[in-house]
């Protein structure tokens, strides 16, 4: 094969398609099933937890983060099968935080480097969004598809923002508002984060992966990679993995390729590199800098719920319905740098009940009585920027193993002072918007979302894992391309940037192959 790609999610899906269409012989390995949305997805919250990566992991640190929920995906399509679908570009400032704000590091890429790839991915996915985007620099033209109609909670956010003089727009989201080829538009069922049964949701499962297979790429599901192998010269040459067959039998196999690309995301990518330690690479593969696993980031995503006098039915239509980014950039009036977005959310009953139970301490009869008001609640979710810290990250647990006998990842996380101040301000703003919209009562639920970092991109091999083209500094033939390469987290949902980086990386690989430089 020309390329073996570990993980066929947000990034891996883009890579298999683009490389296959360029004539490369490509195989994609994924640890989970290859889902059929029409047969495997049902409208049941508990059943659809099967979409999450729920293997054993350890979480710790000053502020342990939840790992088994809606953070990572297990199966072809990865977390795009169950993500909330906000498809947002990062701002120009996000790539220059050291220069502008004196914190973290600048990216080795600029917004202009990714702009054509943002455009490319938006058209491939059929992003539905507003005619104009008032934050940062204007887009070049409208989104490919018209915006979705505001749902009940979208109208609440819009009303509150209007009362306070805050700009808002319909969200830019990855679900169709009109037909695209054989795929129908969204029918507003509202079950988006538990898998779309109609194919309206633009996951990589139903977009890039299907196109990749038509172009000749091979997808191998239920294939858990456990080691990247190198040849005597130190070049990446193959991936060893455990494949589970239809009878539940596990087989150890190996796939050689000219190029190995790891796209397992911010926990499994560092884990695989650390498990690939050898005599040549005693501290793990691509870890000469000691940075593999370090700099893990999440978004603060506390939700504030407001009880409205009228029914809102926040579960109807795509949950990522409406947004404001008025508080995205650094404001000298604040006692923190960087900023946050405020977005609509629409948790279904079980998730909402969990928020109520954990935040208000209600249980039994009291919780049941509270849930009668479910349709009256509107939820606003925070996407708050978190600064990278090397103490936050992923290591291998020294004793615990998973079902394959592999060391499980140990994840450590704690908020920094800037993160905490930003989060407090964002929650206060959410409450202000809800009250301006007429909320009779509010309560906040703590949460985090998204994973970023762990194999950061950089310009210096001493403090990063990959270069600006996602090539590992100290292992030729090895590329790392997923959310783990993020330098900073921004205040935007990361999926579109992950996919834009993957699209750019694919082009750089194809160009290098033509120059015989691989």
């Amino acid at each position: 094969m020309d390329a073996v790609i570990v993980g066929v999610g947000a990034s891996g899906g883009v890579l298999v398609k683009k490389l296959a269409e360029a004539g490369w012989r490509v195989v994609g390995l994924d640890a989970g099933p290859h889902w059929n949305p029409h047969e495997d997805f049902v409208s049941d919250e508990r059943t659809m937890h099967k979409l999450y990566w729920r293997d054993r992991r350890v979480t710790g640190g000053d502020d342990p983060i939840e790992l088994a929920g809606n953070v990572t995906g297990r199966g072809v399509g990865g977390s795009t099968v169950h993500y909330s679908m906000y498809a947002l570009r990062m701002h120009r400032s996000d790539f220059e935080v050291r220069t502008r704000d004196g914190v973290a590091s600048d990216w080795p890429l600029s917004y202009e480097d990714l702009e054509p790839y943002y455009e490319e991915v938006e058209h491939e996915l059929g992003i539905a969004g507003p005619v104009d985007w008032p934050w940062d620099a204007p887009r070049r033209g409208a989104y490919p598809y018209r915006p979705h109609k505001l749902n009940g909670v979208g109208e609440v956010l819009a009303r509150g923002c209007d009362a306070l003089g805050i700009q808002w727009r319909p969200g830019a989201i990855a679900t169709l508002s009109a037909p695209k080829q054989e795929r129908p538009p969204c029918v507003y069922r509202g079950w988006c984060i538990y898998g779309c049964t109609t194919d309206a949701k633009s996951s990589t499962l139903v977009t890039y992966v299907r196109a990749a297979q038509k172009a000749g790429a091979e997808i191998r599901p239920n294939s858990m990679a456990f080691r990247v192998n190198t040849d005597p010269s130190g070049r990446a040459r193959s991936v060893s993995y455990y494949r589970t067959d239809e009878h539940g039998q596990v087989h150890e196999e190996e796939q050689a390729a000219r190029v190995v690309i790891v796209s397992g995301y911010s926990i499994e990518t560092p884990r695989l590199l650390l498990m690939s330690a050898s005599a040549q690479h005693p501290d793990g593969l691509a870890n000469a800098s000691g940075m593999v696993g370090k700099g893990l980031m999440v978004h603060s995503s506390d939700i504030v719920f407001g009880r409205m006098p009228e029914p809102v039915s926040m579960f109807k239509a795509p949950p990522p319905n409406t947004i404001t980014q008025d508080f995205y950039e650094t404001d000298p009036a604040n006692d923190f740098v960087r900023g946050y977005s405020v977005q609509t959310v629409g948790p279904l009953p079980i998730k909402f009940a969990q928020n109520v139970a954990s935040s208000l301490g209600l249980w039994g009869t009291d919780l049941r009585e509270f849930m009668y008001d479910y349709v009256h609640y509107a939820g606003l979710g925070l996407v708050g920027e978190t600064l990278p810290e090397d103490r936050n990250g992923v290591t291998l647990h020294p004793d615990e193993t998973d079902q394959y006998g592999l060391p499980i990842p140990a994840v450590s996380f704690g908020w920094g002072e800037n993160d905490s101040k930003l989060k407090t301000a964002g929650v206060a703003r959410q409450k202000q918007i809800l009250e301006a919209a007429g909320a009779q009562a509010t309560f906040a639920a703590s949460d985090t979302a998204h994973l970023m970092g762990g194999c950061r991109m950089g310009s210096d091999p001493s403090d990063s894992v990959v270069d600006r083209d996602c090539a590992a500094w100290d292992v030729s033939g090895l590329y790392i391309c997923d959310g783990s390469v993020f330098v900073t987290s921004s205040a935007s949902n990361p999926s579109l940037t992950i996919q834009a980086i993957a699209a750019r990386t694919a082009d750089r690989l194809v160009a290098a192959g033509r120059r015989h430089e691989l």
Side-chain angles (χ1 to χ4, degrees), residues 50-125:
K50 67 184 181 181
L51 298 177
Y52 305 155
W53 191 295
R54 300 180 68 83
D55 289 5
R56 293 188 64 207
R57 290 167 168 173
V58 170
T59 182
D62 294 338
D63 304 288
I65 56 176
E66 181 183 351
L67 298 177
N70 189 31
V71 179
T72 56
R74 186 181 181 89
V76 176
S79 59
T80 70
V81 174
H82 59 74
Y83 71 160
S84 69
M85 303 181 299
Y86 275 112
L88 306 177
R89 299 184 182 195
M90 286 169 53
H91 290 202
R92 284 168 171 77
S93 64
D94 289 318
F95 299 91
E96 303 170 349
V97 295
R98 167 59 64 176
T99 298
R100 296 184 183 220
D101 299 306
V103 295
S105 303
D106 290 346
W107 287 57
L109 296 174
S110 67
Y111 175 88
E112 285 70 25
D113 289 324
L114 288 184
E115 185 176 26
Y117 295 102
Y118 279 136
E119 194 86 19
E120 175 185 315
V121 174
E122 286 166 350
H123 279 85
E124 184 72 30
L125 298 179

Side-chain angles (χ1 to χ4, degrees), residues 303-324:
I303 302 172
V304 178
F305 294 99
R307 203 278 185 193
M308 309 305 294
E310 75 281 3
V312 175
S313 301
M314 61 180 170
F315 58 90
K316 291 186 176 181
N321 188 265
T322 314
I323 185 173
T324 178

Side-chain angles (χ1 to χ4, degrees), residues 81 136 253 368 406 479 490:
V81 174
D136 195 34
E253 299 180 355
R368 289 172 63 88
L406 304 173
Y479 288 75
S490 83

Side-chain angles (χ1 to χ4, degrees), residues 116-342:
Y117 295 102
Y118 279 136
E119 194 86 19
E120 175 185 315
V121 174
E122 286 166 350
H123 279 85
E124 184 72 30
L125 298 179
I127 301 302
V131 174
D132 69 314
W133 194 257
W135 304 287
D136 195 34
R139 296 181 75 261
R140 294 181 299 175
Y143 280 94
Y145 283 72
R146 61 171 174 78
H148 288 277
K149 184 180 184 297
L150 298 194
N151 62 1
V153 66
E155 291 176 352
V156 168
L157 184 143
R159 187 165 69 242
C161 286
D162 285 343
L164 297 169
I166 297 170
Q167 298 179 103
W168 61 271
R169 289 293 185 274
I173 58 178
T175 190
L176 298 178
S177 59
K180 179 177 170 60
Q181 298 168 343
E182 74 279 5
R183 294 171 52 221
C186 179
V187 295
Y188 290 8
R189 294 174 59 251
W191 283 85
C192 317
I193 64 171
Y194 295 105
C196 177
T197 61
T198 67
D199 288 354
K201 182 177 187 173
S202 297
S203 66
T204 52
L205 173 66
V206 303
T207 55
Y208 283 95
V209 171
R210 287 180 181 173
Q213 290 180 299
K214 290 179 181 178
E218 180 185 353
I219 307 298
R220 294 181 196 161
N222 304 307
S223 298
M224 177 66 184
F226 65 89
R227 186 173 61 247
V228 176
N229 305 298
T230 56
D231 64 20
S233 71
R235 181 181 177 86
R237 65 173 176 81
S238 68
V239 174
S240 294
Y241 63 98
Y242 293 120
R243 180 180 61 83
T244 303
D245 65 23
E246 62 272 20
H247 305 295
Q249 298 298 309
V250 177
H251 309 270
E252 182 175 335
E253 299 180 355
E254 183 178 354
Q255 177 61 59
R258 191 161 53 111
V259 172
V260 174
I261 308 173
V262 180
S263 299
Y265 208 20
S266 290
I267 294 179
E268 292 303 314
T269 287
R271 180 192 185 195
L272 177 59
L273 296 175
L274 294 173
M275 288 193 300
S276 300
S278 64
Q280 290 175 306
H281 304 279
D283 298 320
L285 207 58
N287 198 25
S289 64
M291 295 305 297
V292 168
K294 293 184 179 180
L296 182 72
M297 298 169 284
V298 297
H299 282 134
S300 51
S301 62
D302 296 53
I303 302 172
V304 178
F305 294 99
R307 203 278 185 193
M308 309 305 294
E310 75 281 3
V312 175
S313 301
M314 61 180 170
F315 58 90
K316 291 186 176 181
N321 188 265
T322 314
I323 185 173
T324 178
Q325 289 192 330
D326 267 12
F327 312 101
Y328 194 105
E329 305 290 354
T330 295
D331 183 345
N334 293 330
D335 61 350
F336 58 87
V337 296
R338 308 306 301 150
Y340 54 87
S341 300
V342 175

